Amino acid sequence: MKKLFLLLLLIPGTCRPSADFPVPVIHENSLLLQNKASVVSYNPSHKQADWVFYSLEKNELRSCVDRGGIFRPDPRLKTDDSAQLGDFKNSGFDRGHLKPAADNRWNREAMNESFLLSNVSPQDPVFNRGIWAKLENLVRAWAKNNGGLWVSTGPLLNGSLRTNGADRVSLPEFFFKVLATKIGEKHEAIAFLLPTSAHGNLTQYEMTVRNLEAVSGLDFLSGLSDEDEAESSFHSERWNLNADFTYYPCTPGFLPAPLESENSHFRLFPL
């Protein structure tokens, strides 16, 4: 059952469906977690998120705070529904951020919440620190070049998965990203689906959002007036796989554009 309108109504201060932005649908039987700078569809059965959704504005790509967070269970979750720090100790898996810590250097609170275990999936260290980190950096470059992005990211939790630790945390074999931007009056989007064995050029892992939806069973672009068009194709020239990224400097008194700003159509969350 689609819960798009429920999701929007449960987030005070956010835009409504008429605002025309791509909120993903909450997975059935999952929990909605609202953070300062992201929304999480959390799956207690797998002890991790189905997806994390957030807006990444060009103006947020500033180096104002260092990484400096502490991994910890999400206090909003029951102990039996959450991974614990001990599940990762000596496991051979990284505590892999879904929303990267590096996307939160504009704000200390946003940085700290990215270290909640509700924003973490077990990831192979080579994958997490290699091709996945490369894609994360490209997302920041594309947000900068396109003026902002909406991002949905998470593990593929289909099928029977191996588990790890005393809390039986599922071990995903694939991870995805869905990226959408607004160009004039139209939206453009692209999806990536990477196995944890991924290597080489990211071109082999890019696909339409529609194809990812078919594989994952998730719905990512609900809320767009041009959803069918945006999810059925992508323009490679918009997503330059050789793009470089550097942060803007942190200026005194910096705050992202307010919700009512005409330049902040990517902003989803109240400050």
Side-chain angles (χ1 to χ4, degrees), residues 152-201:
S152 298
T153 185
L156 203 61
L157 297 177
N158 294 355
S160 179
L161 298 173
R162 295 183 300 124
T163 62
N164 178 71
D167 296 287
R168 299 185 62 81
V169 182
S170 294
L171 296 174
E173 298 174 356
F174 293 83
F175 287 86
F176 64 80
K177 288 191 183 291
V178 175
L179 313 170
T181 190
K182 190 173 184 180
I183 307 298
E185 296 303 314
K186 293 187 176 182
H187 295 88
E188 294 189 16
I190 191 171
F192 291 85
L193 180 62
L194 281 68
T196 55
S197 60
H199 63 279
N201 196 308

Side-chain angles (χ1 to χ4, degrees), residues 20-253:
D20 204 26
F21 64 92
V23 177
V25 174
I26 303 172
H27 194 279
E28 191 171 3
N29 300 322
S30 291
L31 306 174
L32 174 73
L33 301 176
Q34 178 197 347
N35 297 320
K36 178 183 179 68
S38 65
V39 175
V40 178
S41 174
Y42 185 82
N43 192 321
S45 298
H46 291 281
K47 311 296 176 71
Q48 61 201 283
D50 303 300
W51 47 256
V52 177
F53 174 69
Y54 61 100
S55 56
L56 186 59
E57 287 201 50
K58 180 178 180 179
N59 201 33
E60 292 174 348
L61 297 168
R62 297 179 182 273
S63 182
C64 296
V65 300
D66 59 17
R67 180 178 167 99
I70 299 174
F71 286 106
R72 62 203 186 281
D74 193 318
R76 296 168 293 185
L77 297 172
K78 297 177 182 178
T79 300
D80 290 344
D81 290 341
S82 175
Q84 303 297 318
L85 295 175
D87 294 315
F88 294 90
K89 187 176 182 180
N90 300 321
S91 68
F93 294 97
D94 279 357
R95 295 168 291 196
H97 285 77
L98 296 176
K99 181 182 183 186
D103 286 358
N104 298 289
R105 293 185 63 180
W106 57 278
N107 181 271
R108 172 51 62 189
E109 185 179 348
M111 175 65 77
N112 288 342
E113 74 185 16
S114 75
F115 284 83
L116 292 170
L117 292 184
S118 55
N119 185 53
V120 164
S121 285
Q123 289 185 331
D124 178 270
V126 174
F127 173 81
N128 182 38
R129 306 171 200 182
I131 195 169
W132 188 247
K134 178 181 178 180
L135 179 56
E136 291 174 336
N137 200 57
L138 282 169
V139 170
R140 289 185 283 275
W142 294 331
K144 191 174 182 180
N145 294 340
N146 290 316
L149 292 176
W150 292 285
V151 183
S152 298
T153 185
L156 203 61
L157 297 177
N158 294 355
S160 179
L161 298 173
R162 295 183 300 124
T163 62
N164 178 71
D167 296 287
R168 299 185 62 81
V169 182
S170 294
L171 296 174
E173 298 174 356
F174 293 83
F175 287 86
F176 64 80
K177 288 191 183 291
V178 175
L179 313 170
T181 190
K182 190 173 184 180
I183 307 298
E185 296 303 314
K186 293 187 176 182
H187 295 88
E188 294 189 16
I190 191 171
F192 291 85
L193 180 62
L194 281 68
T196 55
S197 60
H199 63 279
N201 196 308
L202 283 163
T203 304
Q204 60 190 313
Y205 305 113
E206 61 187 15
M207 62 179 60
T208 65
V209 176
R210 180 168 295 170
N211 284 345
L212 178 60
E213 289 179 340
V215 172
S216 66
L218 299 172
D219 188 354
F220 294 105
L221 300 185
S222 290
L224 292 186
S225 58
D226 55 352
E227 177 182 357
D228 287 343
E229 182 179 355
E231 71 180 17
S232 62
S233 64
F234 63 87
H235 301 92
S236 297
E237 65 274 10
R238 178 73 58 193
W239 315 99
N240 178 8
L241 295 177
N242 296 311
D244 293 322
F245 173 74
T246 56
Y247 288 101
Y248 292 117
C250 187
T251 55

Side-chain angles (χ1 to χ4, degrees), residues 7-16 21 34 39 259 268-270:
L7 186 155
L8 290 166
L9 291 170
L10 287 176
I11 305 173
T14 64
C15 303
R16 294 297 183 258
F21 64 92
Q34 178 197 347
V39 175
L259 283 168
L268 175 61
F269 311 100

